[in-house]
Amino acid sequence: MSLLEQLAAAVGERNVLTGDLVAGYDRDWTGAWHGDPRAVVRPATTDEVAAVVAACAQAGVPLVPQGGNTGLVGAASPSDGEVVLSTTRLRAVGVPDPGTGTVEAEAGATLEAVQTAARSAGLELGVDLASRGTATIGGVLATNAGGARVLRHGTTRTQVLGLEAVLADGTVVTRMNGLPKDNTGYDLVQLLVGSEGTLGVLTRALLRLSPRPAARAAALLALEDAASAVAVAGALRSVPGLDALEFYTAAGLDLVLAAGRARTPFADAAPVHVLAEAVGPDADVLAEALAEALEELPGLQDAALATSETDRARLWALRESHTEVLAPLEPVKLDVAVPLVALASFLERLPEVVAAVAPGVTPVPFGHLAEGNVHVNLPGARPFDVDGAVTDAVLGLVASYSGSISAEHGIGRAKRRWLHLGRSAADVAAMRAVKQALDPAGLLSPGRVLPDPLA
Ligand code: 2HG
Ligand code: ZN
């Protein structure tokens, strides 16, 4: 039997897509990463995933798992000749268990579907991203996604209590008992979280849920400069229940307003905006606490408070529509973090560092202020980045501040050349040893995360 016949035997003929039918699965949504896959396969159960992986392993054909395809580093879009294992049909979400504060979900369930299930039980998932409607649990876990709620909940891995995955040879590892205490050997669950499809195909997860706060209040602040934003972060940290601290600059706001995606509550544009949100039992008390913490802050030009769902949504739209309004401009996208004390200096030096390699390109930085996480978007920079000169310059600047070259989006295909800027040679050697042990033939998402051995 040919590989395609074996795959059809495993998942049914109509779930093996080839030719024109691979459209959409063959590229990421920005269009920056694409390839010509051998086939797209859509298994509906863990056993079917295992059969697909085993068939590819036997045939020596590389395979890449794909969820909602919202990733930004080319980890889940195929290279030429790869089989795409789409999790679209693995989308069941269990009934949340209020007793243990957990919910089970299959890899292809959207983040939003899990959030909705949690909410219906008076609980919440401590992970939230602008792409919630499309991003899948499998992808969110495989990238250890960050998002806007890391401040209070930590990154995705802290919300993962159990996992089921198919390894490169088709065997299934299952750790789904959710025991809060379980020190029986190596932690395979946490090894697989953040492995970007290179160590196994995630099929099912057990997720931690938290009590859902009764109220939320948000404050949008118009600020003179980035140094004021850092000062705001310091001043607001003492607010109990602080849940999010985001930022964007006038460059991004202009694009959002020009696209008609949201309205600003302020008469005048400010150089930097911070969006803060706090949770607790009473929205008015929260709003008061936010306002009090902001009193007499230098650099504060204006502020708008929101306690109703509608008003908060308006403020969040200004921040969350950045990615979509930037997309048509086909920017180079670099997700980085620097220590908060260095953030203002980093943002000040960024334009000149970019201009030196990409004349005329103006950075549009925005992101998660609490973690010093900056999404450096560079519209018009792609022609200058063909050999990686722009990426090199920006990531070099990040490294000079002892920052992270990938705060939340992962390494994928986009950044593996620069892995050494974030990891020591010993680290990379240990990572290679893990990869070699779990995927000796190198068939799971090859060319992602680890650089080529001689590079
Ligand atoms: C966000 O925080 C996402 O909105 C996407 O991580 C960032 O588009 C980007 O660069
Ligand atoms: Zn982000």
Side-chain angles (χ1 to χ4, degrees):
M1 260 204 279
S2 73
L3 175 62
L4 288 186
E5 283 165 347
Q6 280 185 55
L7 295 174
V11 300
E13 212 161 310
R14 55 196 289 263
N15 291 306
V16 179
L17 314 178
T18 53
D20 289 351
L21 295 177
V22 304
Y25 297 93
D26 60 346
R27 60 196 58 233
D28 74 336
W29 77 275
T30 69
W33 299 99
H34 47 83
D36 196 3
R38 187 179 288 240
V40 175
V41 191
R42 301 185 302 187
T45 63
T46 300
D47 285 349
E48 287 186 10
V49 173
V52 168
V53 175
C56 288
Q58 231 167 33
V61 170
L63 172 144
V64 60
Q66 186 180 95
N69 221 353
T70 55
L72 293 168
V73 290
S77 45
S79 299
D80 290 349
E82 290 177 351
V83 166
V84 174
L85 189 156
S86 166
T87 57
T88 354
R89 295 175 67 232
L90 279 163
R91 51 174 44 196
V93 179
V95 178
D97 178 349
T100 54
T102 58
V103 67
E104 219 181 282
E106 288 186 339
T110 63
L111 177 59
E112 194 166 58
V114 178
Q115 290 174 332
T116 305
R119 226 169 277 146
S120 70
L123 299 165
E124 73 169 4
L125 179 68
V127 182
D128 195 25
L129 327 165
S131 56
R132 59 186 76 79
T134 315
T136 60
I137 286 299
V140 165
L141 266 57
T143 52
N144 182 30
R149 311 290 169 183
V150 170
L151 173 59
R152 193 162 64 92
H153 292 281
T155 58
T156 292
R157 69 171 69 253
T158 56
Q159 310 307 318
V160 183
L161 293 173
L163 204 55
E164 176 188 78
V166 175
L167 300 181
D169 61 357
T171 54
V172 180
V173 286
T174 310
R175 219 65 215 140
M176 291 284 286
N177 61 19
L179 287 173
K181 289 190 166 179
D182 179 19
N183 279 347
T184 41
Y186 301 149
D187 192 339
L188 296 180
V189 170
Q190 292 298 341
L191 178 65
L192 287 162
V193 174
S195 62
E196 298 187 54
T198 63
L199 300 181
V201 181
L202 312 188
T203 48
R204 210 156 49 103
L206 185 69
L207 301 163
R208 181 198 305 282
L209 301 176
S210 322
R212 187 165 183 231
R216 289 180 173 271
L220 182 65
L221 315 173
L223 298 156
E224 207 160 82
D225 52 21
S228 310
V230 175
V232 164
L236 288 184
R237 272 198 206 271
S238 57
V239 172
L242 191 66
D243 187 51
L245 207 45
E246 303 279 306
F247 84 99
Y248 51 87
T249 67
L253 178 63
D254 286 351
L255 293 172
V256 171
L257 297 179
R261 291 297 300 263
R263 274 180 301 149
T264 166
F266 305 132
D268 300 313
V272 180
H273 294 77
V274 169
L275 176 59
E277 189 158 89
V279 298
D282 183 295
D284 292 330
V285 173
L286 289 171
E288 251 169 63
L290 286 170
E292 212 171 283
L294 295 167
E295 263 168 31
E296 291 169 36
L297 257 183
L300 182 60
Q301 294 183 349
D302 215 337
L305 287 168
T307 48
S308 75
E309 185 81 31
T310 326
D311 289 348
R312 284 196 310 103
R314 280 203 189 111
L315 297 187
W316 275 97
L318 286 160
R319 161 65 180 87
E320 289 199 328
S321 42
H322 270 66
T323 300
E324 281 182 52
V325 301
L326 277 153
L329 306 176
E330 303 192 337
V332 167
K333 298 175 82 72
L334 297 168
D335 157 46
V336 303
V338 294
L340 211 46
V341 284
L343 183 64
S345 163
F346 171 76
L347 291 173
E348 194 183 308
R349 287 182 56 202
L350 183 63
E352 75 209 40
V353 165
V354 168
V357 284
V361 169
T362 307
V364 182
F366 62 95
H368 314 285
L369 174 65
E371 293 86 37
N373 180 183
V374 185
H375 297 309
V376 178
N377 277 248
L378 303 166
R382 281 198 202 171
F384 301 102
D385 203 34
V386 177
D387 295 325
V390 180
T391 302
D392 209 43
V394 175
L395 299 188
L397 180 65
V398 170
S400 75
Y401 287 104
S402 303
S404 168
I405 62 155
S406 179
E408 57 174 13
H409 296 170
I411 296 293
R413 287 194 271 169
K415 286 184 179 160
R416 62 195 195 111
R417 251 172 72 188
W418 289 275
L419 191 66
H420 65 278
L421 290 178
R423 305 301 296 254
S424 68
D427 274 14
V428 176
M431 284 158 71
R432 271 194 211 290
V434 172
K435 171 71 175 169
Q436 175 67 24
L438 290 183
D439 180 18
L443 294 177
L444 280 186
S445 300
R448 277 80 166 178
V449 183
L450 291 164
D452 290 333
L454 295 174

